[in-house]
Structure formats: C-alpha cells, structure tokens
Amino acid sequence: MRQRVLAVITAVLVLLPSAWPPSLLAQGAPRTTARVPLADAQTLAGLPSLEAAGSGRVPNYLRALGSKPAAAKALAAVVPAVLFTGTLPPATKLAMAWRVAQLQESAYVTAHAERLLRAVPEGTTLLGRLKAGRLTELSRSEE
C-alpha cells in the first residue's frame, strides 16, 4: 500500500509542473475577510501549536473553530501528531501538502505548508529541489 501511495505521489510530481511559485497562485487580490468568523487568538491561547513559543500566533484554521473550543483543541493536537509521527519524515509530508495545495490552487495552504517546510530538517533542501524541478535528486524516501 505504501509503495502504491508513493508511486502516485511521484507520478503527480513528475507529470505536472512542480515549480509553480505560490505567488502565481495568489495573483488575485487577497481576501480581506474570512469566510467564517475567526475567534480572537487570546481565546485559544495555550493550544498545542507549530508556532514559535511566545509568538501568540494562532493559525486561522484553528481560529475558525473558535466557537467550538473542543474541536479547535482536538485539531491543534492532530496537526503535529500527523506531521511528526509515523514512518515518513516531516519534510516529505509537508512537501506533499505543499504540492497538493498548489494543485488545488490554495494560496493560503501553499504558503502555510511552505513556511512549515522551511522550518523542518531537510525541508529547505527538498523545497528547493521541487521548485527547481530537480526531481531526479530526490532520495528514495522523498519520491
């Protein structure tokens, strides 16, 4: 099953352009208002976070769940668990998220995935290879 998933991901990366800059996807005017009401960041203080300690920043995907604090707390715990547990390295998971976000033309998720990808070991190197279309330089685990 894992081999099949990796083969599909590799095919997507090889067959479709892999160097789409996020700016290309975000050429339209950025949204100035969220589609749903966002909770104040202070309301959700103390949740598990991928943000720098003490930054006080709470991502909008959690703020959107502000009216359901239990749901926001559960999602805040799931994201780090998915990224940092399991057999695939975090950089590989984030690179997949980055590429899928591009294919879905989601500038917000592309930018968020890229920011996180730059923060994990090997992430900047992997991102550089993907953006330059240097797919032959990917290790077997990154394919």
Side-chain angles (χ1 to χ4, degrees):
M1 177 69 171
R2 181 175 174 215
Q3 293 290 54
R4 180 184 239 176
V5 170
L6 290 175
V8 169
I9 292 166
T10 301
V12 168
L13 291 173
V14 170
L15 296 175
L16 297 172
S18 61
W20 296 352
S23 59
L24 181 69
L25 299 175
Q27 286 179 353
R31 254 181 231 276
T32 56
T33 57
R35 294 180 187 169
V36 297
L38 300 178
D40 182 87
Q42 292 175 344
T43 305
L44 300 171
L47 291 179
S49 178
L50 298 176
E51 303 301 324
S55 72
R57 186 178 181 287
V58 177
N60 285 351
Y61 65 85
L62 293 176
R63 292 178 58 207
L65 293 172
S67 64
K68 307 271 187 208
K73 183 177 181 179
L75 183 58
V78 164
V79 173
V82 167
L83 288 177
F84 299 110
T85 61
T87 58
L88 285 177
T92 302
K93 294 175 188 180
L94 287 165
M96 290 188 300
W98 178 81
R99 186 65 183 121
V100 169
Q102 285 182 323
L103 295 173
Q104 295 297 315
E105 299 182 2
S106 174
Y108 172 80
V109 178
T110 300
H112 192 62
E114 183 169 331
R115 184 175 66 85
L116 293 174
L117 187 55
R118 291 180 186 281
V120 298
E122 302 299 321
T124 302
T125 302
L126 179 55
L127 183 62
R129 289 177 182 153
L130 291 172
K131 283 186 168 188
R134 298 188 331 252
L135 303 179
T136 58
E137 296 177 18
L138 297 176
S139 71
R140 187 74 179 137
S141 66
E142 294 169 338
E143 291 181 347

